[in-house]
Amino acid sequence: MAIEFSERIRRIPVYPAAGGYATPDELALLASNESPYPPLPAVRAAIEAATGRLNRYPDPTSTVLKTRLSERYGVPLSRIAIGNGSCDVLLAAGEALLEPGAELVYAWPSFSVYPHLAAASGAGAITVPLDAEDRHDLPAMLREITVATRLVIVCNPNNPTSTALPLAEIASFVEQVPPHVCVILDEAYCEYNLLEDPDASLDLLDAHPNLVLLRTFSKVYGLCGLRVGFALCGSEELPRALDQVRQPFFCNVLAQAAAVEALAHQDAVTDRVTRTIAERISVGERLQAMGVQAAESQANFCWLRLGAERDEQAIMKGLLERGILVRSGSALGSEEPALRVTYGLPEENTRFLDALAELL
Ligand SMILES: Cc1ncc(COP(=O)(O)O)c(C=O)c1O
């Protein structure tokens, strides 16, 4: 007889991750919005030094890391939450805030983990289509907030469409959300956004105890292999609740050490962001010359609308045969053929563009 699973398991979608590919050397990995740059030598040295402490549990309070984050962002330690990646914070927020009868509001297509929050908790998922320019439709999202709403997620810049909204629009949105509804502003890619100073959203925190800024070491810091993210919160309540629903020691020794060291090298981070933005501009110019319709990217990836007549899967297959892994738009919620392509190293981007030109 087959094992009987919970109703919850039947609801939870399987994360559409790529995997099982050969070795990164053989393939240009442009599918997961990772940094193409390896960790800095000083970060690797900090990780190496921390391996000597692996017989001990990690600091369950991540106090050194929280202290550095507090110094950098001016948010008290008690209003900072750490996670085993920012996904961990998202899932824990879902567990802490949602339950059957409650509702979660988010845009769609957006980050593929958001549907998990509702599915896992039995809450209702209210999805709001993006506007014609693939951006969040905040007025429409506001209209979906009801007495049942517990959580609203705004992803800025949005994954998978790469688009961003001006902070003024987000500020006005947060102003209109009832104060008992938690708003998570997922800023995994904010450092790549040229519309705003990445730290401008911090000004909203003091006025809005229900606001959470979600950040990660996975993207600009290039540490996704270690899993560490954080949330800067408007109040102390959410970090406390997140810790209640998670296992202790969720952020490992190496991740904490690496993140602390990474924070000390902001010049290198800025340099890498600048290089990625330079790639964004040159890839954008070539795509335009090829007649490919791309959303206006403020992230480290682009969102390409291939046109209804194109065969997305055939193009994905053709790219893979040429050593390039990208993400399928339909797997990420697009109703039309689309691709999400991370900006890699210059030679990887050239390989991708040459292959795409050939396939189109
Ligand atoms: C919008 C968004 N939020 C959060 C994450 C989660 O990142 P991590 O769990 O690696 O911190 C991602 C990862 O791709 C993302 O795209």
Side-chain angles (χ1 to χ4, degrees):
M1 225 167 92
I3 298 170
E4 200 171 319
F5 288 98
S6 67
E7 175 57 32
R8 195 169 166 254
I9 278 299
R10 282 190 280 275
R11 284 194 307 259
I12 299 177
V14 176
Y15 183 72
Y21 35 76
T23 64
D25 288 348
E26 292 163 35
L27 216 50
L29 297 176
L30 308 181
S32 295
N33 300 345
E34 298 153 333
S35 167
Y37 307 111
L40 296 170
V43 173
R44 293 171 74 158
I47 294 168
E48 176 61 35
T51 58
R53 299 200 301 277
L54 287 177
N55 55 319
R56 304 291 174 196
Y57 283 104
D59 172 6
T61 62
S62 307
T63 294
V64 179
L65 178 55
K66 282 188 189 167
T67 305
R68 295 287 176 276
L69 290 167
S70 176
E71 287 161 4
R72 171 152 167 66
Y73 294 109
V75 175
L77 262 69
S78 57
R79 283 170 35 197
I80 300 176
I82 304 296
N84 179 22
S86 56
C87 276
D88 179 41
V89 177
L90 276 171
L91 293 171
E95 207 173 327
L97 295 162
L98 302 174
E99 58 197 339
E103 286 177 359
L104 159 68
V105 177
Y106 55 91
W108 198 252
S110 194
F111 184 35
S112 46
V113 164
Y114 304 155
H116 286 238
L117 275 61
S121 61
I126 311 296
T127 54
V128 178
L130 299 174
D131 70 13
E133 281 155 37
D134 291 316
R135 304 179 323 163
H136 280 55
D137 183 346
L138 294 180
M141 289 178 75
L142 267 181
R143 287 195 295 275
E144 294 297 342
I145 295 176
T146 68
V147 285
T149 312
R150 290 271 178 82
L151 175 61
V152 180
I153 309 178
V154 174
C155 187
N156 198 57
N158 187 44
N159 176 10
T161 59
S162 75
T163 50
L165 286 179
L167 187 61
E169 286 181 32
I170 293 173
S172 150
F173 173 80
V174 176
E175 198 69 49
Q176 293 172 74
V177 173
H180 64 276
V181 176
C182 180
V183 180
I184 296 185
L185 183 55
D186 185 342
E187 300 189 307
Y189 304 98
C190 65
E191 295 88 348
Y192 299 105
N193 180 5
L194 288 182
L195 296 182
E196 308 291 343
D197 173 342
D199 291 341
S201 53
L202 285 159
D203 291 343
L204 302 178
L205 275 184
D206 286 335
H208 300 288
N210 58 334
L211 180 64
V212 175
L213 307 180
L214 188 64
R215 306 270 179 117
T216 182
F217 284 92
S218 293
K219 308 297 173 184
V220 283
Y221 292 102
L223 290 174
C224 62
L226 273 177
R227 315 301 301 122
V228 52
F230 60 101
L232 306 169
C233 305
S235 75
E236 298 178 358
E237 290 162 1
L238 193 81
R240 204 181 308 126
L242 295 177
D243 286 349
Q244 277 173 268
V245 297
R246 289 180 296 177
Q247 60 159 327
F249 313 117
F250 49 77
C251 187
N252 72 72
V253 169
L254 305 185
Q256 291 189 38
V260 165
E261 187 62 34
L263 279 172
H265 300 276
Q266 293 303 320
D267 288 352
V269 171
T270 305
D271 175 58
R272 290 170 165 202
V273 167
T274 307
R275 283 197 262 165
T276 297
I277 291 175
E279 284 305 300
R280 179 164 89 198
I281 294 166
S282 67
V283 170
E285 284 168 357
R286 248 195 94 183
L287 287 169
Q288 199 176 12
M290 282 161 59
V292 177
Q293 199 195 330
E296 189 192 318
S297 175
Q298 295 295 341
N300 67 337
F301 57 92
C302 54
W303 178 246
L304 310 181
R305 294 215 169 279
L306 298 171
E309 72 290 358
R310 305 258 193 221
D311 182 342
E312 180 194 282
Q313 291 308 311
I315 293 172
M316 293 269 302
K317 187 165 169 283
L319 289 170
L320 196 57
E321 283 161 3
R322 289 159 181 79
I324 302 137
L325 188 69
V326 301
R327 193 57 69 89
S328 141
S330 56
L332 296 173
S334 176
E335 283 171 9
E336 289 177 15
L339 297 177
R340 192 194 70 187
V341 186
T342 310
Y343 303 115
L345 297 171
E347 55 273 23
E348 294 174 319
N349 298 333
T350 303
R351 206 201 305 175
F352 160 68
L353 289 164
D354 290 348
L356 187 66
E358 203 183 310
L359 290 161
L360 295 180

